[in-house]
Amino acid sequence: LPTIRDIAKRAGVSVGTVSNYLNNPELLADNTRREIQQAIEALGYFPSAAARSLKSRSTSRIGMVPLISPEDNRSMEPSDITFLDFLSAVNTTAAENGFALLLSTAISETDELPMYKRMVGERQIDGLILTGVRSHDPRVDFLLGQEFPFVAYGRTRSAEHPYVDVDGADGMRQAVDHLVALGHERIAYISPPPGLMCNEQRWEGFAAAMQSHSLPIDPNLVVDGDFLERTGQIAMHLFLDLPQPPTAVIASNDICAFGILTALQKRGLVGGRDVSVVGFDDSRMAARWTPSLTTVAQPFREIGFLVTKMLIEMIGGEPQDTQRVLKPRLIERESTSALKGP
Amino acid sequence: LPTIRDIAKRAGVSVGTVSNYLNNPELLADNTRREIQQAIEALGYFPSAAARSLKSRSTSRIGMVPLISPEDNRSMEPSDITFLDFLSAVNTTAAENGFALLLSTAISETDELPMYKRMVGERQIDGLILTGVRSHDPRVDFLLGQEFPFVAYGRTRSAEHPYVDVDGADGMRQAVDHLVALGHERIAYISPPPGLMCNEQRWEGFAAAMQSHSLPIDPNLVVDGDFLERTGQIAMHLFLDLPQPPTAVIASNDICAFGILTALQKRGLVGGRDVSVVGFDDSRMAARWTPSLTTVAQPFREIGFLVTKMLIEMIGGEPQDTQRVLKPRLIERESTSALKGP
DNA sequence: GTGAAAGCGCTAACAC
DNA sequence: GTGTTAGCGCTTTCAC
């Protein structure tokens, strides 16, 4: 592969001039610029990323360390299509700004932080995107301590940091209001994974909304979830075995809601008619499911875009508002309906 | 951030010795090793990836350039959950072997090849993984020309190269055999995106299987697809408007099959009872759909694992078999059933 | 406008 | 076993 020296030689100039062509082309005479341009094309030259970043101390890469399980039975990270929507928005936005996306994986939760430390320590990247934020998140503490640029999808309770978040409390309020308007009072709740910040936000929203309608929260109708379908199924079966089952269920995400609907079906019940079900995310399948799913929509692509744009601006040293909260939106479909009289 | 010099100084040795610690620790005296070890931990040292790869000409990164559309209305690339399964297997396998995964995106098909050229030219990566292989694929030609290590998921017709592939022809044969065994003769076919190699393989399998049962192929029952749900819907509506509609349909993937099932439902028909439908992939939703989907399963996680393992072995210069074909497996579910008499 | 030269943080060859 | 040193391919002063 050709180096900057080959170009310099072929164009009859010095390496410094070629470097200028690469970084400050406006400094060059039209003439020289053309020569160099031709040499570069003739030889198919690209500047070495390693040499460039060794000198310039920047990589044009941003990083992400999703905690994806080999077995798909792990919590804390969306392993469904919503994550791909987010990821592809991040990747596209990064690419459009000349950045590539460096992905790694923590095999277990134990070596998650070490993975981040390594990526930062090795100077593999100029900035990081965080997902699956916990209410107290050691990654946030570490990155703040290093003054390393990052933007989180979601926020921590324990520190101030740049983020893009969806107002989960408001989403829950919309869900509860909707169900209450339909006449429901015994509303069950399956939470996101405990530990995640969004779990706390959603719960606050749920509890506040129930209270605002003067509805009690029955502890039997509240279950810790993990974003998995199986858990939705199991929880729904438990609910149905209760002396007084719920008439509506709010799930932590659409996948979990699908599990709930499946459980209903297995018991000969019809989701949306016998029991109302509300999901969260508005993933692609929500509209196509039978019954179609009422759900709180998160704009994943927009979040991915905003997170990445914000991060790249931070890396570029541009000042900006560093915290954004987006409103989710309830989308009413067939899986919820008016409570039938007793 | 500390450099190798800081470590050398603190441990009272030379940089060469620290470098040996990093790359050939067995050469060092136990004693020295301990000193260096301590210095590294005390300072939180990581070797600079840029400096390292400038010198060593390797990056410990592998690359991928998925062609993901911002709008999800593009063909040639799976933008569904099956791609995430593949991607996460790749990422995990890479991480387990000390490699990170560098992702970029071609915004349009036009700048796909330039993206590859850039990644290779800038020496950003040690090897590449290709997806969405075309029957004649310029990326393959380019990489072979550069003698750059790569493994493709799928194979080209135009050149010999390392790949992991699924025997799509065999998958089609299984699908056709299954439908014929159920009594179907008018079998419709919605193809993968034209241009993709898998399109040709599947078609060959389909045509051969039909012929082996002495069944004619009605051109009205063959439609070019693009992996999208909408296309499945549209095609099914077209089929139903035919004077003599098909009794069974084979789709290019599960997403497309879901579109077919939705179209049937909209026309008051029941998938699996009135018309049999076979998908391809066995994506996560296939088993949970109503009706559950008969489909040809592709082992995406295994493919991701194999592709990555193969690539990393190639990078390491280890000899191995460089071409693997996996057999897909038909999974029978509710969406196919015996043809009812007229 | 352009060239010369130092140096980014490592590795590897060679000397001791 | 350990130290010294050249150099990987760039960027960036600083002369001219």
Side-chain angles (χ1 to χ4, degrees), chain A residues 9-69:
Chain A
K9 193 166 299 176
R10 192 177 224 271
V13 297
S14 74
V15 293
T17 304
V18 178
S19 178
N20 271 336
Y21 172 87
L22 261 20
N23 303 295
N24 312 89
E26 68 281 2
L27 295 181
L28 302 197
D30 284 6
N31 191 358
T32 331
R33 195 160 29 214
R34 253 194 311 278
E35 302 277 13
I36 296 179
Q37 156 92 337
Q38 275 169 20
I40 286 180
E41 281 175 6
L43 270 49
Y45 168 77
F46 290 90
S48 145
R52 189 168 244 198
S53 62
L54 178 57
K55 192 73 215 181
S56 71
R57 302 167 164 294
S58 74
T59 62
S60 291
R61 273 172 250 137
I62 61 180
M64 236 176 111
V65 186
L67 193 57
I68 295 176
S69 86

Side-chain angles (χ1 to χ4, degrees), chain A residues 183-201:
Chain A
H184 295 277
E185 300 197 340
R186 285 190 62 72
I187 300 174
Y189 178 84
I190 304 178
S191 81
L196 287 196
M197 185 59 196
C198 75
N199 177 42
E200 303 191 16
Q201 295 165 329

